[in-house]
Amino acid sequence: MTIVRLGYVAMSMEVKNASPSQTMTFTQFQKIDDRPAALRKLERITISNLQNTLRLLKHNAASEIHFYRLTSRLIPLANHEELLDWDYLKPLREALLELGAFVKKHDMRVDFHPDHFVLINSPQEHIFKNSIETLKLHYRLLKAMKIDTSHRCVMHVGGNYKETEMSLERFVDNWMDVPRSIQKMIMLENDDTSFSLEDSLYLCEKLEIPLVFDYHHHLAYHREPDWVNNWDRVVGTWRDSPLPIKMHISSPKSEQEFRHHSDYVDIEMFFHFLKEISGSVPQIDCMIEAKKKDEALFVLMEQLKERDDVEILDGSTFRLK
């Protein structure tokens, strides 16, 4: 039956003082009169972020967690228009190689989720170009870690601009201007307001992009379980990927704030999904998008131990019976 592997996003609730997203604003940068000194401070912040990321990866290895989302905020101001002369990778190569080596040693799946301002389908050329530069940053980080870049960045379709079909076709048109190396890195996710599962599937099937199914987003968009008829199509988008199919799992904060993520995962909601897909794929990697991060994963695993329809395999993995 299907093996389910859980992961979490960026921050740990258990490992203290280990933020991988420490930052510096450009205003703060400008206040340092000595520009080389300001750049060195940026580098120190970034190296601290990478060191904290390694601490989190070690925490994951000790906890038998094999799936983790790296923060997209590892390098503050990396693509800022006033800092384009900054070779940010040069002082980071050793730390990035160490991260990549640890990931490979422990057979972890890591990926990114660039921020919402990455818009492939933007009608504004400068936004599209900035989006490509942001994606190139993620590509360079993965390459510096010597990690296969295939399907390591999940992103939303983009802006709807009050015209769904036109916005989808603009994505197709702009996609032709995305470098092939970046295209291979991308996965698309259905969202909760602008692009439905079927909208996202249209692009994924047309452009051969894996689809990351977000169950919570789908319910927020539709409020009815009509995703089952499209599940085989979702699986089909992963046929050429070297990685297992991936999904996002989260739960609504409340009925009134349905779109907001809860602290933890509603296990009954999760199993409503799992019972439908059981046996359809050999493995599925589920990224938990909960406010309590790794704590939500640990709580969910404790709840799973009370069920008789699963077999626990390790600290973050179980098999559906």
Side-chain angles (χ1 to χ4, degrees):
M1 296 297 285
T2 298
I3 291 174
V4 182
R5 190 167 62 166
L6 304 177
Y8 71 98
V9 176
M11 299 285 291
S12 169
M13 303 300 292
E14 291 206 354
V15 184
K16 304 304 180 184
N17 303 313
S19 171
S21 305
Q22 299 165 92
T23 193
M24 181 183 191
T25 66
F26 187 65
T27 299
Q28 292 170 327
F29 180 89
Q30 286 180 304
K31 288 179 179 178
I32 303 174
D33 294 332
D34 185 338
R35 193 172 191 274
L39 287 174
R40 286 196 296 273
K41 184 171 182 179
L42 266 181
E43 290 168 2
R44 287 196 299 273
I45 292 171
T46 302
I47 289 171
S48 178
N49 284 341
L50 295 176
Q51 289 171 340
N52 284 342
T53 300
L54 183 59
R55 288 179 62 199
L56 294 174
L57 291 176
K58 290 178 177 179
H59 161 66
N60 295 346
S63 304
E64 299 178 318
I65 297 172
H66 319 285
F67 186 27
Y68 174 69
R69 181 187 298 168
L70 296 160
T71 178
S72 290
R73 300 177 183 178
L74 286 171
I75 310 179
L77 304 178
N79 284 332
H80 195 281
E81 59 185 7
E82 298 295 329
L83 294 174
L84 297 181
D85 60 328
W86 177 33
D87 183 3
Y88 53 81
L89 280 182
K90 186 176 180 180
L92 309 178
R93 294 194 188 281
E94 186 176 334
L96 288 168
L97 280 172
E98 188 176 11
L99 283 181
F102 192 89
V103 165
K104 289 180 180 179
K105 178 181 178 182
H106 294 277
D107 194 23
M108 292 183 183
R109 178 179 186 172
V110 295
D111 59 21
F112 287 105
H113 194 333
D115 288 331
H116 63 278
F117 56 76
V118 176
L119 300 168
I120 294 294
N121 75 339
S122 175
Q124 300 183 58
E125 187 175 356
H126 75 280
I127 292 178
F128 172 71
K129 287 184 175 179
N130 288 340
S131 298
I132 297 302
E133 289 305 311
T134 298
L135 292 170
K136 284 180 178 177
L137 164 64
H138 291 79
Y139 178 82
R140 293 185 190 112
L141 287 170
L142 290 165
K143 292 294 283 186
M145 287 186 273
K146 297 190 180 301
I147 290 173
D148 182 356
T149 59
S150 299
H151 310 144
R152 299 288 182 168
C153 272
V154 60
M155 54 186 291
H156 295 280
V157 174
N160 185 279
Y161 308 104
K162 300 182 179 179
E163 182 52 68
T164 300
E165 288 189 15
M166 189 178 296
S167 297
L168 289 171
E169 292 311 318
R170 190 184 305 109
F171 188 103
V172 174
D173 290 342
N174 289 355
W175 186 253
M176 299 305 110
D177 293 323
V178 176
R180 181 61 180 154
S181 58
I182 303 300
Q183 288 182 356
K184 291 180 179 179
M185 189 174 66
I186 300 303
M187 303 167 281
L188 286 181
E189 170 191 359
N190 59 297
D191 66 55
D192 57 344
T193 57
S194 300
F195 296 100
S196 68
L197 172 59
E198 289 199 356
D199 294 332
S200 305
L201 275 170
Y202 166 74
L203 291 179
C204 288
E205 291 173 337
K206 186 179 184 71
L207 302 174
E208 298 183 336
I209 305 170
L211 188 138
V212 176
F213 180 50
D214 191 307
Y215 184 51
H216 181 191
H217 282 174
H218 178 78
L219 294 181
Y221 194 104
H222 292 284
R223 293 297 184 101
E224 54 185 65
D226 61 347
W227 61 273
V228 178
N229 291 331
N230 284 316
W231 180 247
D232 286 345
R233 294 175 64 193
V234 174
V235 174
T237 66
W238 288 87
R239 63 182 175 273
D240 297 322
S241 178
L243 298 169
I245 187 172
K246 173 187 173 182
M247 73 163 295
H248 290 168
I249 185 66
S250 57
S251 302
K253 184 176 181 180
S254 67
E255 189 63 27
Q256 294 72 32
E257 297 179 281
F258 196 90
R259 287 184 164 86
H260 296 280
H261 290 172
S262 177
D263 286 348
Y264 301 98
V265 173
D266 180 337
I267 191 170
E268 295 306 322
M269 176 179 166
F270 188 26
F271 267 79
H272 183 78
F273 168 81
L274 291 178
K275 287 175 182 177
E276 294 287 354
I277 64 98
S278 180
S280 65
V281 290
Q283 180 176 320
I284 184 167
D285 289 348
C286 300
M287 180 58 68
I288 293 173
E289 296 186 318
K291 297 294 185 183
K292 291 294 186 178
K293 308 294 184 179
D294 56 342
E295 183 182 328
L297 186 156
F298 294 135
V299 168
L300 181 57
M301 286 302 299
E302 287 302 314
Q303 293 173 330
L304 287 166
K305 292 174 183 177
E306 303 300 318
R307 299 182 67 98
D308 58 10
D309 54 354
V310 302
E311 175 190 358
I312 303 297
L313 301 181
D314 66 23
S316 68
T317 313
F318 59 97
R319 181 184 286 113
L320 298 172
K321 291 183 179 178

